[in-house]
């Protein structure tokens, strides 16, 4: 099947998950993970489907695609969903507006705030904080829950960042249901932050091709889906 057929099938599953959980379809943003797919593939999606949100993992690839798709910039909402290194921040911010899903340290937040103050001081950069929940003992990216208070304190002084919510990648499981406890814990954490820090957070970014229906049932506002839309990709063919 092509992108249009894949998306039609995916949409029926998204709507069913929304109905089961008493949610509106428009409350869930579908981010098409277009990493390692060509700009031409994105153009095809724009011309044949309603997909308008696209997520990229690698700064160099993201910057190149934005340049190729500059004439279509008004039609695309970009998301950066990969691990962000300090030395890539300036290139990312300079490329144009996007929602960054992967702020995972005080150092990165402060550096991003400084760069945004230099490049785009008139409009705060929207960000999500990436949590490491369920893989606390691993070397996986994301901030540990016990380290979150120090990041909250730092973000309170970042005038050029707009903290909007939380993101997680749960541990890899053998069934979609294995992700549910981690989604539920992240949702509870967002509620706790709003109640105790008056943060006004409203974005929960979790759920991928294998577990997005469970994610919707557990409050996801942004689901990140690549394979189910664009098909398989060659993970060897990338440069960060």
């Amino acid at each position: 099947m092509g992108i249009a057929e894949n998306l039609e099938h995916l949409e029926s599953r998204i709507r069913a998950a929304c109905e089961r959980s008493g949610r509106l379809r428009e409350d869930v943003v579908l981010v098409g993970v277009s990493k390692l797919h060509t700009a031409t593939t994105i153009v095809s999606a724009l011309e044949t489907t309603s997909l308008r949100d696209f997520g990229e993992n690698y700064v160099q690839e993201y910057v190149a695609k934005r340049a190729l798709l500059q004439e279509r910039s008004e039609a695309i909402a970009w998301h950066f969903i990969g691990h962000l290194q300090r030395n890539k921040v300036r290139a990312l911010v300079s490329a144009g507006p996007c929602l960054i899903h992967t702020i995972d340290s005080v150092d990165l937040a402060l550096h991003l705030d400084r760069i945004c103050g230099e490049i785009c001081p008139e409009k705060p950069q929207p960000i999500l904080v990436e949590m490491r929940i369920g893989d606390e003992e691993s070397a996986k990216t994301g901030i540990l829950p016990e380290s979150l208070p120090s990041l909250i304190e730092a973000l309170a002084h970042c005038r050029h960042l707009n903290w909007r919510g939380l993101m997680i990648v749960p541990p890899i499981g053998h069934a979609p249901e294995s992700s549910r406890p981690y989604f539920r814990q992240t949702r509870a954490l967002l509620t706790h932050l709003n109640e105790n820090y008056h943060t006004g957070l409203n974005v929960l970014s979790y759920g991928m091709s294998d577990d997005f229906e469970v994610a919707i049932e557990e409050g996801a506002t942004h689901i990140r889906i690549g394979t189910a839309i664009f098909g398989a990709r060659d993970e060897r063919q990338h440069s960060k």
Side-chain angles (χ1 to χ4, degrees):
M1 291 193 298
I3 293 174
E5 293 81 5
N6 288 343
L7 194 63
E8 183 179 0
H9 177 65
L10 185 63
E11 276 291 341
S12 67
R13 294 173 63 189
I14 293 172
R15 291 182 183 280
C18 288
E19 290 176 7
R20 286 196 301 273
S21 50
R23 303 182 64 193
L24 299 175
R25 170 63 186 91
E26 53 264 36
D27 292 337
V28 179
V29 176
L30 171 59
V31 179
V33 180
S34 48
K35 71 172 184 178
L36 304 181
H37 292 286
T38 65
T40 302
T41 300
I42 295 176
V43 170
S44 178
L46 289 170
E47 292 180 346
T48 63
T49 77
S50 60
L51 186 64
R52 294 296 179 267
D53 289 76
F54 295 88
E56 293 288 333
N57 286 60
Y58 310 118
V59 172
Q60 185 172 325
E61 180 183 358
Y62 165 74
V63 171
K65 285 180 184 175
R66 286 201 67 144
L68 289 171
L69 298 168
Q70 186 174 6
E71 293 183 358
R72 296 177 181 265
S73 60
E74 296 298 320
I76 300 174
W78 290 103
H79 301 253
F80 187 77
I81 60 176
H83 176 59
L84 180 57
Q85 300 171 335
R86 275 178 53 104
N87 64 347
K88 303 290 186 180
V89 166
R90 186 175 295 276
L92 178 68
V93 174
S94 298
C98 71
L99 172 59
I100 301 174
H101 289 232
T102 51
I103 301 304
D104 61 359
S105 71
V106 170
D107 182 61
L108 179 59
L110 294 177
H111 183 64
L112 177 64
D113 183 62
R114 182 175 66 80
I115 298 300
C116 289
E118 296 175 8
I119 295 176
C120 51
E122 70 286 348
K123 189 172 183 179
Q125 166 65 54
I127 64 165
L128 305 181
V129 168
E130 181 183 2
M131 302 300 303
R132 193 193 317 173
I133 294 177
D135 278 345
E136 289 86 353
E137 303 303 320
S138 74
K140 184 177 169 182
T141 58
I143 190 167
L144 294 168
E146 57 265 30
S147 301
L148 187 55
S150 61
L151 181 54
I152 293 172
E153 183 178 357
L155 289 173
H157 300 284
C158 291
R159 296 186 297 110
H160 304 291
L161 302 183
N162 175 19
W163 182 22
R164 297 184 55 197
L166 303 175
M167 177 270 219
I168 64 163
V169 178
I172 297 175
H174 298 291
E177 279 295 327
S178 65
S179 297
R180 191 182 297 275
Y182 308 110
F183 296 156
R184 190 168 290 175
Q185 186 177 347
T186 306
R187 185 182 190 182
L189 176 59
L190 183 135
T191 299
H192 169 78
L193 292 172
N194 283 334
E195 291 177 348
N196 291 274
Y197 292 92
H198 307 290
T199 45
L201 306 177
N202 59 11
V203 174
L204 287 167
S205 172
Y206 47 67
M208 295 184 282
S209 291
D210 293 335
D211 57 15
F212 70 88
E213 288 154 310
V214 173
I216 291 171
E217 292 169 3
E218 295 300 335
T221 63
H222 290 59
I223 55 177
R224 312 180 304 268
I225 299 179
T227 303
I229 299 173
F230 302 112
R233 60 179 77 90
D234 186 350
E235 293 287 349
R236 298 169 298 178
Q237 301 300 315
H238 76 81
S239 58
K240 296 183 181 181

